[in-house]
Amino acid sequence: MKELKLIVFSVLGLFISCSKVEPPKPIGPLPSERQLAWHELDYYAFVHFNMNTFTNMEWGTGGEKPEQFNPSELDTRQWARVAKEAGMEGIILTAKHHDGFCLWPTKTTEHSVKNSPWKEGKGDVLKDLSEACKEYGLKFGIYLSPWDRNHEDYGKPEYVLDFHEQLRELLTNYGDIFEVWFDGANGGSGYYGGANETRKIDNKTYYEWEKTTAMIRELQPNAVIFSDAGPDIRWVGTEEGWANETNWSIMRADEVYPGWPRYVELRSGHEDGTHWLPAEVNTSIRPGWYYHPAEDHQVKSLPRLVRTYYESVGRNGNFLLNLPVDHRGLVHETDVQQLMALKQQIDKDFAKELLVGVQVEATDERGAGPEYRAANVNDGDSNTYWATNDSIKKASITFSFDAPTEVNRILLQEYIPLGQRVKNFILLAEIDGKWKEIDGQTTIGYKRILRFNTVKAAKFRILFMDAKGPLAISNIEMYRAPNLLTQPTVQRKKDGMVSLSVPDKNVAVHYTLDGSEPSKASQKYTKPFLVDSPTTLKAISVDPDDGRQTETVLRKLDVPKKDWKIVDTSSGNLMDTDKLMDEDPNTYWATDEGVNIIQEVIIDLGKTYTLSGFTYLPIQERYPFGIITNYEFYVSRNNKRWTRVIRGEFGNVVNNRIEQTVPFKATKGRYIKLRGIKVAGKDYRTSFAEIGVITE
Ligand code: FUL
């Protein structure tokens, strides 16, 4: 009898172990090992530093001379330290950009650092940076432009041999490479060894991509290859720093090629993709990829960088943030400051994971054992996942806190080794006994982060509405991020109405109009208000949750411009003149091109004031022109007899296009005249973003 029991039990045991539940079947194309490793990087740096840094260009012609490359304090360890401290995982460097200058002493061309004065031609930026990355525990990647505007053979097979050889040198001599970045810009005009002509190539065939891929696989098997079309990583179809909310990591890759005209599709991938081809979101911390002193005041703001983080990492893309290293060879101080501000904010946002240890339940679980249970989503292990049964594409998972908890971020991850599945999901919270929808979205993929207004609830539910097959969710996290506290932005309309704004609408703004320091007790901003006489506005932002406040913003507001009229201009279209006094810094008006006379504008202020100064805001366009560097300013009571009240120079205005304020001896007048007696650029074409006055 005893024996029989034993046999029964062992047969049963065998049966149980045989009936081990199978994982869900993979769906669609799957990521390779190297792609999986890449997904985990999230955030890393691009460095654009090369010949253009010294010629103040974005795209060099190829006709530059190696002697022009001459950084005074090049320090790749500073780049690596900054990237590390900023929380980045690696650095990708422009080893060669379209102008063809090589940052390493390649054997393929004379157009390289070896003929530059830097380190007397003995330097190698690639070597320095690869060592610095190693020292700081960062990954190292290379950007090698296929287009070469310097090479005399560009367009012929000979160039392709050199291009491949350059790649070989880079892949062989600088240790581990994690990513090889090929740009889509290809062919066109160039220096081409002095030919100075336009050369066209066929993007699909000219570079023999099969060969480059084979070489990379052979020499750096772990490196991912980036281009518009992959094969491993795709461009996201914009340089503005975002992916679409719907973002599939798969694409019908055979349709895509470098320079693909349907690049907009790269922003969301293809739901019916045939290849795993995830998106990398590349953008620069400044308007340009390369350093331009004139963009020192245009380093992206903290709210903008935070938004970019959420719209890249939070939308199933990796974030490749470009740092335009300056002509000293350093990451500029302002950029460093913004990088650290972003790091601090992201650290704060994700400081405390709330779902750890929280009770979880799902409407369906694959098998009865622990393997695919719902609790795998908050066990802190990304290798375990919650999966549903084969027929179940729609299911919900509910988290029950012990007490009502404030939440404003949710992070979700699919178990992508089995493919990307989720097509539609909704987040709900139980408020006053009822389930309320907080957000509804489409794809998840490797990582999706949703930001929403703080909700206090004890129960949260995610309803997966549709998926390509049974669910496989590896991770769900929730956070209560603090408000994004930034100084208020002041805007004034032509009619004198003033508005104050902050990107986070939970943050309060308080202000004073009598010159006193604002505090939480000062007037709280609720709607635009009128300022119709000279006034000092001071404002702060306050976080109502914890009482933190910003430093004070001070704006001197003068008489409104509502009755101002343009009386005359030396040339130019009179239709648009309003733009130079519309209080909008981003619009401008300019005099005509090719008019070789000193240019000026005359404004009627509508009534007589005692004037004690004027302001001039230079054009804020990406490619500015007509900036006044030397001026004369005149005042008149009657538009007939004019007094020149001041003349002078706006120091460094071309590089630093901030508002210029020029005080002068108090003078009564109704008409003003601003004349540009020297203008940056050709002839006297003169531009104005805004003219203002200071009255007594
Ligand atoms: C673009 C290039 O043409 C830019 O100069 C820059 O390198 C950017 C990252 O890619 O397509």
Side-chain angles (χ1 to χ4, degrees), residues 345 348 482-485 520 541-544 546-550:
Q345 188 64 39
K348 277 190 216 155
N483 294 319
L484 177 58
L485 187 65
K520 288 164 218 170
S541 303
V542 177
D543 184 340
D546 56 15
R548 287 178 305 147
Q549 65 180 62
T550 61

Side-chain angles (χ1 to χ4, degrees), residues 133-183:
C133 283
K134 225 188 215 149
E135 181 184 338
Y136 284 90
L138 294 168
K139 297 193 176 297
F140 178 52
I142 48 162
Y143 170 122
L144 180 68
S145 171
W147 185 20
D148 189 323
R149 301 174 102 181
N150 174 266
H151 203 290
E152 59 179 341
D153 289 331
Y154 184 80
K156 300 186 202 146
E158 287 84 344
Y159 165 71
V160 180
L161 292 176
D162 277 351
F163 171 59
H164 289 178
E165 193 47 35
Q166 291 172 356
L167 185 61
R168 180 177 298 281
E169 291 176 353
L170 291 172
L171 298 174
T172 325
N173 299 329
Y174 302 102
D176 285 346
I177 304 285
F178 85 100
E179 180 163 333
V180 181
W181 218 93
F182 291 125
D183 194 85

Side-chain angles (χ1 to χ4, degrees), residues 46 48 58-59 97-98 143 181 183-185 239 282 289-290:
F46 221 172
H48 274 65
E58 277 289 303
W59 279 13
H97 203 249
H98 312 326
Y143 170 122
W181 218 93
D183 194 85
E239 293 183 349
N282 66 312
W289 292 102
Y290 279 94

Side-chain angles (χ1 to χ4, degrees), residues 353 355-360 374-380 399 474-476:
E353 213 280 83
L355 285 185
V356 178
V358 169
Q359 190 206 322
V360 49
N376 287 346
V377 302
N378 63 339
D379 65 352
F399 297 94
S474 66
N475 188 29
I476 302 180

Side-chain angles (χ1 to χ4, degrees), residues 224-290:
V224 287
I225 306 173
F226 167 99
S227 82
D228 291 1
D232 299 317
I233 309 299
R234 74 173 199 262
W235 182 43
V236 77
T238 168
E239 293 183 349
E240 293 295 311
W242 50 272
N244 265 356
E245 289 187 321
T246 298
N247 183 13
W248 292 96
S249 284
I250 55 178
M251 294 239 20
R252 298 187 301 271
D254 293 338
E255 293 175 20
V256 193
Y257 54 89
W260 194 44
R262 279 161 46 206
Y263 64 89
V264 170
E265 293 170 37
L266 296 170
R267 297 173 186 174
S268 46
H270 291 146
E271 188 178 328
D272 59 351
T274 50
H275 295 73
W276 193 266
L277 195 53
E280 182 185 74
V281 179
N282 66 312
T283 194
S284 185
I285 197 164
R286 291 165 174 247
W289 292 102
Y290 279 94

